[in-house]
Amino acid sequence: MSADNHWVVIPAAGTGTRMQSEIPKQYLQLCGKTILEHTVQCFLDHGSMRGIVVVLNPDDTYWQSTALAGDDRIRVATGGDERCHSVLNGLHALADLATDTDWVLVHDAARPCLGRHDIDCLLREVGAHPVGGILAAPVRDTLKRANPRGEITATVDRERLWQALTPQMFRYAKLTEALKRALDNHEIVTDEAQAIEMTGVKPLLIRGDISNIKITQMGDLELAELYLQQRGASPCV
């Protein structure tokens, strides 16, 4: 495993509109804690991270009521219009701490079931790679391409297709510059790897565990509860 410094950026500025919830989904309760508390705890428990930046919506009124708010290992930054803006703001919050060659792990706030084994694999395998890389999962289902009317136009060959997960791990300066360049070119990238790819290099794929789900709808909460209980979380009520 690499002996380099590792930092974490967690964009948590979303408003949860797709969940049709009155509060942002990262603050929904899951096994006695908010989703965001579970997510951040994955990295606090690991012990190899130098620090964590949580990027919040400028109108966030929930953070201060969490158990995380007083933890001196965590910095807070203000989010932007899109995920990529929020991540870049999180990187700027590390400017006085991280060196150019330090690693940064960017992780979705709504992925509370990240396992220690996956973090270990990412640090070990990506730490030896010249570009960086991401956790990912091979696509298992048959994929269809549709037209605007919702009709199938093609069956897509799923061989060598992967679903991008997080964390995504890249060098501090390279990721900062890649995101800045994309935004300067009016490119709204959907993950950090895309920004890095646009610089002409090839990030590494590390196979992650299927339990590392992203909570995007209410039904996902039950599955996340199951995974957390299997790891010893308090019974969910």
Side-chain angles (χ1 to χ4, degrees):
M1 187 178 297
S2 171
D4 295 330
N5 291 329
H6 297 88
W7 306 89
V8 181
V9 171
I10 299 177
T15 57
T17 53
R18 282 185 295 177
M19 289 282 286
Q20 297 182 337
S21 170
E22 293 182 359
I23 66 173
K25 66 181 177 182
Q26 61 268 28
Y27 293 111
L28 292 174
Q29 288 291 309
L30 182 63
C31 295
K33 299 178 181 179
T34 65
I35 292 172
L36 182 57
E37 286 174 298
H38 283 288
T39 299
V40 175
Q41 200 64 48
C42 295
F43 297 99
L44 293 177
D45 288 345
H46 191 271
S48 294
M49 307 301 151
R50 289 292 307 276
I52 299 170
V53 177
V54 178
V55 188
L56 303 176
N57 190 288
D59 298 322
D60 187 296
T61 59
Y62 301 95
W63 170 259
Q64 288 299 327
S65 64
T66 70
L68 303 171
D71 195 313
D72 60 9
R73 294 169 291 180
I74 302 171
R75 286 192 172 193
V76 171
T78 301
D81 292 340
E82 302 288 345
R83 173 199 169 88
C84 48
H85 298 100
S86 293
V87 172
L88 186 57
N89 288 352
L91 293 171
H92 289 327
L94 289 172
D96 62 333
L97 295 173
T99 68
D100 286 355
T101 58
D102 282 355
W103 291 106
V104 178
L105 287 75
V106 182
H107 186 61
D108 295 329
R111 292 188 188 272
C113 302
L114 174 65
R116 184 185 182 92
H117 174 74
D118 274 5
I119 299 176
D120 287 342
C121 286
L122 193 70
L123 298 187
R124 181 176 62 251
E125 301 298 331
V126 174
H129 193 266
V131 174
I134 71 173
L135 288 180
V139 171
R140 298 184 294 173
D141 297 325
T142 298
L143 299 177
K144 303 292 185 180
R145 180 173 288 112
N147 62 22
R149 296 184 299 276
E151 301 164 337
I152 296 172
T153 62
T155 298
V156 180
D157 183 2
R158 68 187 178 194
E159 186 177 359
R160 293 190 296 277
L161 288 181
W162 291 67
Q163 176 186 351
L165 308 175
T166 68
Q168 304 196 355
M169 176 173 151
F170 298 101
R171 298 286 187 184
Y172 176 78
K174 295 293 187 183
L175 180 55
T176 302
E177 177 56 32
L179 286 170
K180 184 177 183 301
R181 182 185 303 179
L183 292 174
D184 286 346
N185 291 330
H186 308 289
E187 298 278 357
I188 302 299
V189 294
T190 56
D191 72 353
E192 295 65 55
Q194 184 181 4
I196 294 290
E197 293 161 42
M198 290 168 61
T199 69
V201 296
K202 296 178 174 62
L204 184 67
L205 292 167
I206 302 297
R207 185 165 186 157
D209 194 279
I210 60 172
S211 65
N212 184 17
I213 63 169
K214 184 177 183 180
I215 297 175
T216 58
Q217 49 192 338
M218 284 299 180
D220 297 330
L221 286 170
E222 294 183 8
L223 185 56
E225 287 176 356
L226 175 62
Y227 287 138
L228 290 174
Q229 287 183 44
Q230 288 174 343
R231 294 178 187 170
S234 300
C236 301
V237 294

